[in-house]
Amino acid sequence: RKEVEQDPGPFNVPEGATVAFNCTYSNSASQSFFWYRQDCRKEPKLLMSVYSSGNEDGRFTAQLNRASQYISLLIRDSKLSDSATYLCAVNMNTGGFKTIFGAGTRLFVKA
Amino acid sequence: SAVISQKPSRDICQRGTSLTIQCQVDSQVTMMFWYRQQPGQSLTLIATANQGSEATYESGFVIDKFPISRPNLTFSTLTVSNMSPEDSSIYLCSAAASNQPQHFGDGTRLSIL
């Protein structure tokens, strides 16, 4: 089992739709969690951190469920510019701090 | 967040040669990492670059193939040695404070003929 797993998609949604991505992690000692956005042929860029209490940034909402070991990202009112790959990332300290990334979920928002 | 400069941005190399990629961070950071990303694939961690000591390599990656240096808190290099077409990929440097989100350089697109 991979340490961090995501549904690869692709998700094809119309503008204005709400779309949700999930990500599961296997190491219960994981310490912090993030969502990144990666555009084609570009480096990943931090979208938002994920907190146990849940957090919101405009149209984006992230949730963490430690008991079930998953994180989620909700995008409301999708825009064409939201089309990208969304990567979840998990920080863990297993004899040394490192970040493990999911394979990414591809999102296409169409007019 | 830290600004990370990586160079070269791309290169085309002959098989059997080696290439060194440089990564410069504009502020002192605790952690620096090197990743590889094949087209359409996920990020794969190659190693953690440790200041003043040998890098910590992930399973499947070895120092002879991917020697890494980190002489100070703001600079690291990754060398891809004795390259073969299978090494064609994007190589990404990242930096972070401990348990904080990572920030990436623009990446180096490497093609091996």
Side-chain angles (χ1 to χ4, degrees):
Chain A
R1 183 185 172 187
K2 293 181 181 178
E3 291 181 282
V4 180
E5 293 198 72
Q6 290 181 255
D7 181 346
F11 284 60
N12 294 286
V13 303
E15 271 187 297
T18 296
V19 61
F21 306 136
N22 287 327
C23 171
T24 59
Y25 60 94
S26 60
N27 191 327
S28 59
S30 299
Q31 297 178 336
S32 50
F33 310 87
F34 311 96
W35 283 101
Y36 284 76
R37 171 191 170 127
Q38 187 172 26
D39 292 293
C40 189
R41 302 180 68 81
K42 297 286 189 180
E43 76 279 14
K45 293 188 176 177
L46 179 67
L47 181 64
M48 59 197 304
S49 301
V50 188
Y51 304 115
S52 296
S53 55
N55 49 300
E56 188 173 306
D57 182 2
R59 297 181 292 109
F60 299 83
T61 300
Q63 296 274 355
L64 166 64
N65 185 319
R66 283 191 182 270
S68 300
Q69 295 185 197
Y70 78 82
I71 64 174
S72 64
L73 177 68
L74 183 77
I75 305 175
R76 291 181 299 278
D77 189 22
S78 299
K79 311 292 184 192
L80 294 175
S81 57
D82 293 333
S83 298
T85 298
Y86 291 83
L87 306 166
C88 66
V90 176
N91 279 3
M92 53 186 74
N93 193 333
T94 51
F97 161 76
K98 63 182 179 182
T99 303
I100 303 299
F101 286 82
T105 298
R106 192 77 174 91
L107 172 66
F108 294 98
V109 181
K110 54 186 187 297
Chain B
S1 62
V3 175
I4 301 165
S5 303
Q6 193 174 330
K7 60 180 181 181
S9 59
R10 62 180 67 241
D11 208 338
I12 301 172
C13 300
Q14 296 289 333
R15 65 180 68 198
T17 63
S18 298
L19 177 74
T20 296
I21 303 168
Q22 298 182 4
C23 180
Q24 179 75 54
V25 187
D26 70 342
S27 58
Q28 293 189 347
V29 289
T30 310
M31 317 294 293
M32 292 182 74
F33 304 89
W34 287 98
Y35 288 84
R36 182 169 74 182
Q37 188 174 33
Q38 306 278 5
Q41 303 295 315
S42 65
L43 292 159
T44 301
L45 180 62
I46 297 172
T48 302
N50 300 309
Q51 188 213 349
S53 64
E54 189 173 295
T56 304
Y57 289 85
E58 296 298 306
S59 176
F61 297 96
V62 296
I63 188 171
D64 290 344
K65 176 67 176 176
F66 297 101
I68 288 170
S69 78
R70 190 178 174 195
N72 56 53
L73 286 174
T74 63
F75 185 77
S76 179
T77 67
L78 167 73
T79 299
V80 186
S81 303
N82 188 25
M83 290 183 285
S84 65
E86 294 73 35
D87 295 321
S88 297
S89 189
I90 300 171
Y91 292 84
L92 291 150
C93 168
S94 72
S98 183
N99 209 29
Q100 294 301 305
Q102 297 196 31
H103 298 277
F104 289 86
D106 292 344
T108 296
R109 285 171 176 74
L110 182 58
S111 298
I112 315 302
L113 302 178

CSV table of all heavy atoms in Angstrom, one decimal, chain B residues 45-92:
chain,number,residue,atom,x,y,z
B,45,LEU,N,10.6,11.2,-4.0
B,45,LEU,CA,11.7,11.7,-3.2
B,45,LEU,C,13.0,10.9,-3.4
B,45,LEU,O,13.0,9.7,-3.3
B,45,LEU,CB,11.4,11.7,-1.7
B,45,LEU,CG,12.4,12.2,-0.7
B,45,LEU,CD1,12.7,13.7,-0.9
B,45,LEU,CD2,12.0,12.0,0.7
B,46,ILE,N,14.0,11.6,-3.8
B,46,ILE,CA,15.4,11.0,-4.1
B,46,ILE,C,16.1,11.0,-2.7
B,46,ILE,O,16.6,9.9,-2.3
B,46,ILE,CB,16.2,11.8,-5.1
B,46,ILE,CG1,15.5,11.7,-6.5
B,46,ILE,CG2,17.6,11.2,-5.2
B,46,ILE,CD1,16.1,12.6,-7.5
B,47,ALA,N,16.2,12.1,-2.1
B,47,ALA,CA,17.0,12.2,-0.9
B,47,ALA,C,16.8,13.5,-0.2
B,47,ALA,O,16.3,14.5,-0.7
B,47,ALA,CB,18.5,12.0,-1.2
B,48,THR,N,17.2,13.5,1.1
B,48,THR,CA,17.2,14.7,1.9
B,48,THR,C,18.7,15.2,1.9
B,48,THR,O,19.6,14.4,2.2
B,48,THR,CB,16.8,14.4,3.4
B,48,THR,OG1,15.5,13.8,3.4
B,48,THR,CG2,16.8,15.6,4.2
B,49,ALA,N,18.9,16.4,1.6
B,49,ALA,CA,20.2,17.0,1.6
B,49,ALA,C,20.5,17.5,3.0
B,49,ALA,O,19.9,18.4,3.5
B,49,ALA,CB,20.3,18.1,0.6
B,50,ASN,N,21.5,16.9,3.6
B,50,ASN,CA,21.9,17.3,5.0
B,50,ASN,C,23.1,18.2,4.9
B,50,ASN,O,24.1,17.9,4.3
B,50,ASN,CB,22.2,16.0,5.8
B,50,ASN,CG,21.0,15.1,5.9
B,50,ASN,OD1,19.9,15.5,6.2
B,50,ASN,ND2,21.3,13.8,5.6
B,51,GLN,N,23.0,19.3,5.7
B,51,GLN,CA,24.1,20.2,5.7
B,51,GLN,C,25.4,19.6,6.3
B,51,GLN,O,25.3,19.1,7.5
B,51,GLN,CB,23.7,21.5,6.5
B,51,GLN,CG,24.8,22.6,6.3
B,51,GLN,CD,24.9,23.5,7.6
B,51,GLN,OE1,24.1,23.4,8.5
B,51,GLN,NE2,25.9,24.3,7.6
B,52,GLY,N,26.4,19.6,5.6
B,52,GLY,CA,27.7,19.2,6.1
B,52,GLY,C,27.9,17.7,6.3
B,52,GLY,O,28.9,17.3,6.9
B,53,SER,N,26.9,16.9,5.9
B,53,SER,CA,27.1,15.5,6.0
B,53,SER,C,26.4,14.8,4.8
B,53,SER,O,25.8,15.4,4.0
B,53,SER,CB,26.5,15.0,7.3
B,53,SER,OG,25.1,15.2,7.3
B,54,GLU,N,26.5,13.5,4.8
B,54,GLU,CA,26.0,12.7,3.6
B,54,GLU,C,24.5,12.8,3.6
B,54,GLU,O,23.8,12.8,4.6
B,54,GLU,CB,26.4,11.3,3.8
B,54,GLU,CG,26.2,10.4,2.6
B,54,GLU,CD,26.8,9.0,2.7
B,54,GLU,OE1,28.0,8.9,2.7
B,54,GLU,OE2,26.0,8.1,2.8
B,55,ALA,N,24.0,12.9,2.4
B,55,ALA,CA,22.5,12.9,2.2
B,55,ALA,C,21.9,11.6,2.7
B,55,ALA,O,22.5,10.6,2.7
B,55,ALA,CB,22.2,13.2,0.7
B,56,THR,N,20.6,11.7,3.0
B,56,THR,CA,19.8,10.5,3.4
B,56,THR,C,19.0,10.1,2.2
B,56,THR,O,18.1,10.8,1.7
B,56,THR,CB,18.9,10.9,4.5
B,56,THR,OG1,19.6,11.4,5.6
B,56,THR,CG2,18.1,9.6,5.0
B,57,TYR,N,19.3,9.0,1.6
B,57,TYR,CA,18.7,8.5,0.3
B,57,TYR,C,17.5,7.6,0.6
B,57,TYR,O,17.4,6.8,1.6
B,57,TYR,CB,19.7,7.7,-0.5
B,57,TYR,CG,20.7,8.7,-1.1
B,57,TYR,CD1,21.9,9.0,-0.4
B,57,TYR,CD2,20.6,9.2,-2.4
B,57,TYR,CE1,22.8,9.9,-0.9
B,57,TYR,CE2,21.5,10.1,-2.9
B,57,TYR,CZ,22.7,10.4,-2.1
B,57,TYR,OH,23.6,11.3,-2.6
B,58,GLU,N,16.5,7.7,-0.3
B,58,GLU,CA,15.3,6.9,-0.2
B,58,GLU,C,15.6,5.6,-0.9
B,58,GLU,O,16.6,5.5,-1.7
B,58,GLU,CB,14.1,7.6,-0.9
B,58,GLU,CG,13.7,8.9,-0.2
B,58,GLU,CD,13.3,8.6,1.3
B,58,GLU,OE1,12.4,7.8,1.5
B,58,GLU,OE2,13.8,9.3,2.2
B,59,SER,N,14.8,4.6,-0.6
B,59,SER,CA,14.9,3.3,-1.3
B,59,SER,C,14.9,3.4,-2.8
B,59,SER,O,14.1,4.1,-3.4
B,59,SER,CB,13.8,2.4,-0.8
B,59,SER,OG,13.8,1.1,-1.4
B,60,GLY,N,15.9,2.8,-3.4
B,60,GLY,CA,16.0,2.8,-4.9
B,60,GLY,C,17.0,3.9,-5.4
B,60,GLY,O,17.2,3.9,-6.6
B,61,PHE,N,17.5,4.7,-4.5
B,61,PHE,CA,18.4,5.8,-4.9
B,61,PHE,C,19.7,5.6,-4.1
B,61,PHE,O,19.7,5.4,-2.9
B,61,PHE,CB,17.8,7.1,-4.7
B,61,PHE,CG,16.6,7.4,-5.5
B,61,PHE,CD1,15.3,7.2,-4.9
B,61,PHE,CD2,16.7,7.8,-6.8
B,61,PHE,CE1,14.2,7.4,-5.7
B,61,PHE,CE2,15.5,8.1,-7.6
B,61,PHE,CZ,14.3,7.8,-7.0
B,62,VAL,N,20.8,5.7,-4.8
B,62,VAL,CA,22.1,5.5,-4.2
B,62,VAL,C,23.1,6.7,-4.4
B,62,VAL,O,22.9,7.4,-5.5
B,62,VAL,CB,22.8,4.2,-4.6
B,62,VAL,CG1,22.0,3.0,-4.1
B,62,VAL,CG2,23.0,4.2,-6.1
B,63,ILE,N,24.0,6.9,-3.5
B,63,ILE,CA,24.9,8.0,-3.6
B,63,ILE,C,25.8,8.0,-4.9
B,63,ILE,O,26.1,9.0,-5.4
B,63,ILE,CB,25.8,8.1,-2.3
B,63,ILE,CG1,26.6,9.4,-2.3
B,63,ILE,CG2,26.7,6.9,-2.2
B,63,ILE,CD1,27.3,9.6,-1.0
B,64,ASP,N,26.2,6.8,-5.3
B,64,ASP,CA,27.0,6.7,-6.5
B,64,ASP,C,26.4,7.3,-7.7
B,64,ASP,O,27.0,7.8,-8.6
B,64,ASP,CB,27.5,5.3,-6.7
B,64,ASP,CG,28.5,4.8,-5.7
B,64,ASP,OD1,29.0,5.7,-5.0
B,64,ASP,OD2,28.7,3.6,-5.6
B,65,LYS,N,25.1,7.1,-7.8
B,65,LYS,CA,24.3,7.5,-9.0
B,65,LYS,C,23.8,9.0,-8.8
B,65,LYS,O,23.8,9.7,-9.8
B,65,LYS,CB,23.1,6.6,-9.1
B,65,LYS,CG,22.1,7.0,-10.2
B,65,LYS,CD,22.7,6.9,-11.6
B,65,LYS,CE,21.7,7.2,-12.7
B,65,LYS,NZ,22.3,7.1,-14.1
B,66,PHE,N,23.5,9.4,-7.6
B,66,PHE,CA,23.0,10.7,-7.3
B,66,PHE,C,23.7,11.4,-6.2
B,66,PHE,O,23.1,11.7,-5.1
B,66,PHE,CB,21.5,10.6,-7.0
B,66,PHE,CG,20.6,10.1,-8.1
B,66,PHE,CD1,20.2,8.8,-8.1
B,66,PHE,CD2,20.2,10.9,-9.1
B,66,PHE,CE1,19.3,8.3,-9.1
B,66,PHE,CE2,19.4,10.4,-10.2
B,66,PHE,CZ,19.0,9.1,-10.1
B,67,PRO,N,25.0,11.7,-6.4
B,67,PRO,CA,25.7,12.4,-5.3
B,67,PRO,C,25.1,13.7,-5.0
B,67,PRO,O,24.7,14.5,-6.0
B,67,PRO,CB,27.1,12.5,-5.8
B,67,PRO,CG,27.1,12.2,-7.3
B,67,PRO,CD,25.8,11.4,-7.5
B,68,ILE,N,25.0,14.1,-3.8
B,68,ILE,CA,24.4,15.3,-3.3
B,68,ILE,C,25.3,16.1,-2.4
B,68,ILE,O,25.9,15.4,-1.5
B,68,ILE,CB,23.0,15.1,-2.6
B,68,ILE,CG1,22.0,14.6,-3.6
B,68,ILE,CG2,22.5,16.3,-1.8
B,68,ILE,CD1,20.7,14.1,-3.0
B,69,SER,N,25.4,17.4,-2.6
B,69,SER,CA,26.2,18.2,-1.6
B,69,SER,C,25.3,19.2,-1.0
B,69,SER,O,24.3,19.6,-1.6
B,69,SER,CB,27.3,18.9,-2.3
B,69,SER,OG,26.9,20.0,-3.1
B,70,ARG,N,25.6,19.6,0.2
B,70,ARG,CA,24.9,20.7,0.9
B,70,ARG,C,25.9,21.4,1.8
B,70,ARG,O,26.0,21.1,3.0
B,70,ARG,CB,23.7,20.3,1.6
B,70,ARG,CG,22.9,21.5,2.0
B,70,ARG,CD,21.6,21.2,2.7
B,70,ARG,NE,21.0,22.4,3.3
B,70,ARG,CZ,20.0,22.4,4.2
B,70,ARG,NH1,19.5,21.2,4.6
B,70,ARG,NH2,19.5,23.5,4.6
B,71,PRO,N,26.7,22.3,1.2
B,71,PRO,CA,27.8,22.9,2.1
B,71,PRO,C,27.3,23.9,3.1
B,71,PRO,O,28.0,24.1,4.1
B,71,PRO,CB,28.7,23.6,1.0
B,71,PRO,CG,27.8,23.8,-0.1
B,71,PRO,CD,26.8,22.7,-0.2
B,72,ASN,N,26.1,24.4,2.9
B,72,ASN,CA,25.6,25.4,3.9
B,72,ASN,C,24.1,25.3,3.8
B,72,ASN,O,23.5,24.5,3.1
B,72,ASN,CB,26.1,26.8,3.5
B,72,ASN,CG,25.8,27.2,2.1
B,72,ASN,OD1,24.6,27.2,1.7
B,72,ASN,ND2,26.8,27.7,1.4
B,73,LEU,N,23.5,26.2,4.6
B,73,LEU,CA,22.0,26.2,4.8
B,73,LEU,C,21.2,26.7,3.6
B,73,LEU,O,20.0,26.5,3.5
B,73,LEU,CB,21.6,26.9,6.0
B,73,LEU,CG,21.9,26.3,7.4
B,73,LEU,CD1,21.6,27.2,8.5
B,73,LEU,CD2,21.1,25.0,7.5
B,74,THR,N,21.9,27.3,2.6
B,74,THR,CA,21.1,27.9,1.5
B,74,THR,C,21.4,27.3,0.1
B,74,THR,O,20.9,27.7,-0.9
B,74,THR,CB,21.4,29.4,1.4
B,74,THR,OG1,22.8,29.6,1.2
B,74,THR,CG2,21.0,30.1,2.8
B,75,PHE,N,22.3,26.3,0.0
B,75,PHE,CA,22.7,25.8,-1.3
B,75,PHE,C,22.9,24.3,-1.3
B,75,PHE,O,23.4,23.7,-0.3
B,75,PHE,CB,24.1,26.5,-1.6
B,75,PHE,CG,24.6,26.1,-3.0
B,75,PHE,CD1,24.1,26.7,-4.1
B,75,PHE,CD2,25.6,25.2,-3.2
B,75,PHE,CE1,24.5,26.4,-5.4
B,75,PHE,CE2,26.1,24.9,-4.4
B,75,PHE,CZ,25.6,25.5,-5.5
B,76,SER,N,22.5,23.7,-2.4
B,76,SER,CA,22.6,22.2,-2.5
B,76,SER,C,22.8,21.9,-4.0
B,76,SER,O,22.4,22.7,-4.9
B,76,SER,CB,21.4,21.5,-2.0
B,76,SER,OG,21.6,20.1,-2.1
B,77,THR,N,23.5,20.8,-4.3
B,77,THR,CA,23.6,20.3,-5.7
B,77,THR,C,23.3,18.9,-5.7
B,77,THR,O,23.4,18.1,-4.7
B,77,THR,CB,25.1,20.5,-6.2
B,77,THR,OG1,26.0,19.6,-5.5
B,77,THR,CG2,25.5,21.9,-6.1
B,78,LEU,N,22.7,18.5,-6.8
B,78,LEU,CA,22.4,17.1,-7.2
B,78,LEU,C,23.1,16.8,-8.5
B,78,LEU,O,23.0,17.5,-9.4
B,78,LEU,CB,20.9,16.9,-7.3
B,78,LEU,CG,20.5,15.5,-8.0
B,78,LEU,CD1,20.7,14.4,-7.0
B,78,LEU,CD2,19.0,15.6,-8.4
B,79,THR,N,23.9,15.7,-8.5
B,79,THR,CA,24.5,15.2,-9.7
B,79,THR,C,23.8,14.0,-10.2
B,79,THR,O,23.6,13.1,-9.4
B,79,THR,CB,26.0,15.0,-9.5
B,79,THR,OG1,26.7,16.2,-9.1
B,79,THR,CG2,26.7,14.5,-10.8
B,80,VAL,N,23.5,13.9,-11.4
B,80,VAL,CA,23.0,12.7,-12.0
B,80,VAL,C,24.1,12.1,-12.8
B,80,VAL,O,24.6,12.7,-13.8
B,80,VAL,CB,21.8,13.0,-13.0
B,80,VAL,CG1,21.2,11.7,-13.5
B,80,VAL,CG2,20.7,13.8,-12.2
B,81,SER,N,24.6,11.0,-12.4
B,81,SER,CA,25.9,10.4,-12.9
B,81,SER,C,25.6,9.3,-13.9
B,81,SER,O,24.6,8.6,-13.9
B,81,SER,CB,26.7,9.8,-11.7
B,81,SER,OG,26.9,10.7,-10.7
B,82,ASN,N,26.5,9.2,-14.9
B,82,ASN,CA,26.5,8.2,-15.9
B,82,ASN,C,25.1,8.0,-16.4
B,82,ASN,O,24.5,6.9,-16.3
B,82,ASN,CB,27.0,6.8,-15.2
B,82,ASN,CG,27.2,5.7,-16.2
B,82,ASN,OD1,27.4,6.0,-17.4
B,82,ASN,ND2,27.0,4.5,-15.8
B,83,MET,N,24.6,9.1,-17.0
B,83,MET,CA,23.2,9.1,-17.4
B,83,MET,C,22.8,8.1,-18.5
B,83,MET,O,23.6,7.9,-19.4
B,83,MET,CB,22.8,10.5,-17.8
B,83,MET,CG,22.8,11.5,-16.6
B,83,MET,SD,22.3,13.2,-17.0
B,83,MET,CE,23.8,13.8,-17.8
B,84,SER,N,21.6,7.7,-18.4
B,84,SER,CA,21.0,6.8,-19.4
B,84,SER,C,19.6,7.4,-19.7
B,84,SER,O,19.1,8.2,-19.0
B,84,SER,CB,20.8,5.4,-18.9
B,84,SER,OG,19.9,5.3,-17.8
B,85,PRO,N,19.0,7.0,-20.8
B,85,PRO,CA,17.7,7.5,-21.2
B,85,PRO,C,16.6,7.4,-20.0
B,85,PRO,O,15.7,8.3,-20.0
B,85,PRO,CB,17.3,6.7,-22.4
B,85,PRO,CG,18.6,6.4,-23.0
B,85,PRO,CD,19.5,6.1,-21.9
B,86,GLU,N,16.8,6.4,-19.2
B,86,GLU,CA,15.8,6.2,-18.1
B,86,GLU,C,15.9,7.4,-17.1
B,86,GLU,O,15.0,7.5,-16.2
B,86,GLU,CB,16.0,4.9,-17.4
B,86,GLU,CG,15.7,3.7,-18.2
B,86,GLU,CD,16.8,3.4,-19.3
B,86,GLU,OE1,18.0,3.7,-19.0
B,86,GLU,OE2,16.4,3.0,-20.4
B,87,ASP,N,17.0,8.1,-17.1
B,87,ASP,CA,17.1,9.3,-16.2
B,87,ASP,C,16.4,10.5,-16.7
B,87,ASP,O,16.4,11.5,-16.0
B,87,ASP,CB,18.6,9.6,-16.0
B,87,ASP,CG,19.3,8.4,-15.2
B,87,ASP,OD1,18.7,7.8,-14.3
B,87,ASP,OD2,20.5,8.1,-15.6
B,88,SER,N,15.9,10.5,-17.9
B,88,SER,CA,15.2,11.6,-18.4
B,88,SER,C,14.0,11.9,-17.5
B,88,SER,O,13.1,11.0,-17.3
B,88,SER,CB,14.7,11.3,-19.9
B,88,SER,OG,15.8,11.2,-20.7
B,89,SER,N,13.9,13.1,-17.0
B,89,SER,CA,12.9,13.4,-16.0
B,89,SER,C,12.9,14.9,-15.7
B,89,SER,O,13.8,15.6,-16.2
B,89,SER,CB,13.1,12.6,-14.8
B,89,SER,OG,12.0,12.7,-13.9
B,90,ILE,N,12.1,15.3,-14.8
B,90,ILE,CA,12.2,16.6,-14.2
B,90,ILE,C,12.7,16.4,-12.8
B,90,ILE,O,12.2,15.6,-12.0
B,90,ILE,CB,10.8,17.3,-14.1
B,90,ILE,CG1,10.3,17.5,-15.5
B,90,ILE,CG2,11.0,18.7,-13.4
B,90,ILE,CD1,8.8,18.0,-15.5
B,91,TYR,N,13.8,17.2,-12.4
B,91,TYR,CA,14.4,17.1,-11.1
B,91,TYR,C,14.0,18.4,-10.4
B,91,TYR,O,14.2,19.5,-10.9
B,91,TYR,CB,15.9,16.9,-11.2
B,91,TYR,CG,16.2,15.5,-11.8
B,91,TYR,CD1,16.2,15.3,-13.1
B,91,TYR,CD2,16.4,14.4,-10.9
B,91,TYR,CE1,16.5,14.0,-13.6
B,91,TYR,CE2,16.7,13.2,-11.4
B,91,TYR,CZ,16.7,13.0,-12.8
B,91,TYR,OH,17.0,11.7,-13.3
B,92,LEU,N,13.5,18.2,-9.2
B,92,LEU,CA,13.0,19.4,-8.4
B,92,LEU,C,13.7,19.5,-7.1
B,92,LEU,O,13.8,18.5,-6.4
B,92,LEU,CB,11.5,19.3,-8.2
B,92,LEU,CG,10.6,19.4,-9.4
B,92,LEU,CD1,9.4,18.6,-9.2
B,92,LEU,CD2,10.3,20.9,-9.6
